[in-house]
Amino acid sequence: MIRMGIIKVLKTQLLCHLIICYVFLISGFIVNLLQLCTLPLWPINKQLARKINCRLGYSISSQLVALLEWWSGTECSLYTDPESYSLYGKENAIVVLNHNFEIDFMAGWTICERFGVLGSSKVLAKKELSFVPVIGWMWYFLEIVFCKRNWEVDRKNVVQSLRNLRDYPENFWFLLHCEGTRFTEKKHKISMEVAEKKGLPKLKYHLLPRTKGFWMTVQNLRGKVTAVYDSTLNFRNNEMPTLLGVLNGKKYHADLYVRRIPLDSVPEEESECAAWLHKLYQEKDEFQEHYTRTGRFPGPITSPPCRPWALLNWLFWVCLLVYPLFRLLLQLLLSGSISTVVCTFVFCFAVSVGIRWMIGQTEIEKGSNYGNKEVQLNNN
């Protein structure tokens, strides 16, 4: 008990947070450099270059999964039917996620990791993110679909990016936050005013979905993707988990409800597809209501096992990068220069803040960035 208490206290210390951020940043730059080295391979063997970049990208994104699973000890329970469960990770799918929590992108990546598709998972992200070091540059080489939130400008580029995935050599999940932005009471009020104006049923736990991005994704991935995974995430005890809480080693318990819907059942015509998506979100609202009343989702429950690879990858980078860091810090301390020590500490703290901001920006901007102009909310 005493040892566990000491470990719990250590996880809240700034020094540990600085080391985590240092390892993530430096390893990320190394991986980005290795990804850059794959450029000459693309015209020679495109599929091999893609497979290499999947593994390199996994080396970055799995560190955040390890942070959630192994550092904070967060658990994840999956509600789904056994028949669908046997297909997860073995087919290409579009995953429609609710967007209520600061770390829901980490929970989504954790499920991807447990079914072996983390390295190849895709999202629809804002174009500016492609210039963000580490994650943005990683996404560029993983052929993430970037957009500028301007339908006329993006129509051609996004369609081409989606079609490029039709010959992708790895199974992938395309993660979509169709609400386009994280749920808040203020945004919900605005969204429901739009729903009333358009004569759409009001939602209690979601914002109106933005239908154009979903329709475009479905249309251009037909024949490559076989199913839509309707996914609804909640955390037990009404907790609102944060990235800082994860860094501090706080344990959460995520509940994820997943329905597998064959892509053939999604209408091809745009207006019918939009109506289908609105109906899906009404059903998601009912699932959220059920969870609020009962503390669980309907259907059988299972816990997909944690795979060791995210932890082993993290430990590899820690062992590789922390030793030279401590050696450098020791030399600085022995140098006796107070100004050097202070400047080093300030630099490390700035790096830590920068990493948190970078991850926060990635989480905020990730998702479906299209929709009718009336549904564009305050943060657009």
Side-chain angles (χ1 to χ4, degrees):
M1 291 294 292
I2 295 177
R3 191 173 83 174
M4 293 301 294
I6 293 174
I7 293 175
K8 188 174 181 179
V9 171
L10 282 175
K11 287 182 177 181
T12 65
Q13 301 307 302
L14 177 62
L15 178 60
C16 289
H17 299 171
L18 290 173
I19 292 173
I20 291 171
C21 293
Y22 159 78
V23 170
F24 180 79
L25 183 64
I26 301 303
S27 65
F29 279 125
I30 292 173
V31 169
N32 287 159
L33 180 61
L34 292 174
Q35 289 181 305
L36 187 64
C37 293
T38 67
L39 283 176
L41 183 60
W42 281 82
I44 301 171
N45 193 328
K46 178 181 177 181
Q47 300 297 55
L48 178 59
R50 283 170 151 179
K51 291 181 178 181
I52 292 172
N53 275 286
C54 279
R55 275 67 184 175
L56 291 173
Y58 176 87
S59 189
I60 295 177
S61 54
S62 65
Q63 291 185 50
L64 297 178
V65 171
L67 187 68
L68 186 68
E69 286 187 333
W70 299 96
W71 180 261
S72 81
T74 294
E75 298 179 11
C76 184
S77 297
L78 181 64
Y79 294 79
T80 192
D81 67 274
E83 184 177 347
S84 297
Y85 184 89
S86 64
L87 295 172
Y88 297 155
K90 300 176 183 177
E91 63 179 354
N92 300 317
I94 297 170
V95 182
V96 179
L97 294 157
N98 60 321
H99 203 2
N100 295 67
F101 306 99
E102 185 176 315
I103 67 165
D104 51 15
F105 80 101
M106 295 177 74
W109 281 4
T110 296
I111 293 298
C112 288
E113 159 60 14
R114 295 194 183 188
F115 289 101
V117 293
L118 175 61
S120 57
S121 63
K122 311 297 178 190
V123 296
L124 186 62
K126 191 177 178 181
K127 176 65 177 177
E128 284 75 7
L129 282 176
S130 64
F131 304 108
V132 175
V134 183
I135 291 180
W137 296 350
M138 171 192 75
W139 277 354
Y140 174 81
F141 285 98
L142 288 177
E143 299 173 85
I144 294 300
V145 180
F146 293 105
C147 59
K148 296 183 177 180
R149 289 185 173 179
N150 184 312
W151 175 250
E152 296 304 323
V153 173
D154 286 331
R155 184 193 297 267
K156 182 178 178 180
N157 293 335
V158 172
V159 167
Q160 185 58 53
S161 296
L162 288 167
R163 289 181 177 174
N164 288 341
L165 299 178
R166 295 180 68 86
D167 65 343
Y168 205 75
E170 304 274 338
N171 287 333
F172 65 85
W173 288 359
F174 199 105
L175 280 61
L176 282 177
H177 291 295
C178 291
E179 295 163 89
T181 184
R182 194 190 308 156
F183 182 98
T184 66
E185 291 299 331
K186 184 176 181 180
K187 293 172 185 176
H188 180 253
K189 181 180 178 181
I190 296 172
S191 185
M192 292 308 100
E193 289 173 356
V194 173
E196 185 174 359
K197 178 181 177 181
K198 289 181 167 290
L200 296 169
K202 292 188 177 182
L203 303 172
K204 185 176 180 181
Y205 300 100
H206 299 85
L207 307 178
L208 282 181
R210 303 178 184 184
T211 59
K212 283 189 181 294
F214 177 78
W215 172 73
M216 181 184 289
T217 302
V218 168
Q219 287 304 101
N220 287 282
L221 292 182
R222 284 188 187 275
K224 180 66 173 181
V225 166
T226 55
V228 173
Y229 295 166
D230 172 30
S231 305
T232 306
L233 176 69
N234 262 316
F235 286 86
R236 294 187 183 177
N237 303 317
N238 294 318
E239 287 193 294
M240 296 296 290
T242 63
L243 182 57
L244 181 59
V246 172
L247 273 174
N248 285 329
K250 185 175 181 180
K251 183 176 182 178
Y252 302 103
H253 195 129
D255 285 326
L256 183 67
Y257 179 67
V258 181
R259 289 189 300 165
R260 181 185 182 276
I261 305 170
L263 193 68
D264 292 342
S265 65
V266 181
E268 294 191 25
E269 203 277 322
E270 184 177 357
S271 60
E272 293 179 2
C273 183
W276 184 92
L277 185 63
H278 282 299
K279 185 175 184 297
L280 182 78
Y281 268 78
Q282 293 163 34
E283 294 170 353
K284 288 172 79 71
D285 230 41
E286 293 173 3
F287 296 139
Q288 285 280 35
E289 180 65 29
H290 184 278
Y291 189 92
T292 301
R293 287 188 291 102
T294 65
R296 57 163 291 145
F297 288 114
I301 182 173
T302 184
S303 294
C306 290
R307 306 194 318 159
W309 311 120
L311 177 62
L312 292 175
N313 172 75
W314 199 25
L315 291 177
F316 165 77
W317 285 114
V318 169
C319 294
L320 182 67
L321 298 175
V322 170
Y323 171 72
L325 173 66
F326 278 129
R327 187 172 179 179
L328 175 62
L329 291 176
L330 182 61
Q331 290 176 346
L332 289 173
L333 289 172
L334 294 177
S335 70
S337 173
I338 297 177
S339 60
T340 302
V341 174
V342 171
C343 289
T344 302
F345 177 81
V346 171
F347 173 76
C348 292
F349 181 77
V351 168
S352 173
V353 173
I355 289 288
R356 295 183 191 184
W357 175 84
M358 229 172 21
I359 295 174
Q361 285 298 110
T362 299
E363 188 276 329
I364 289 170
E365 300 294 350
K366 210 163 40 108
S368 176
N369 295 286
Y370 289 100
N372 297 323
K373 291 184 178 180
E374 296 91 341
V375 189
Q376 301 297 318
L377 300 177
N378 287 359
N379 70 325
N380 292 348

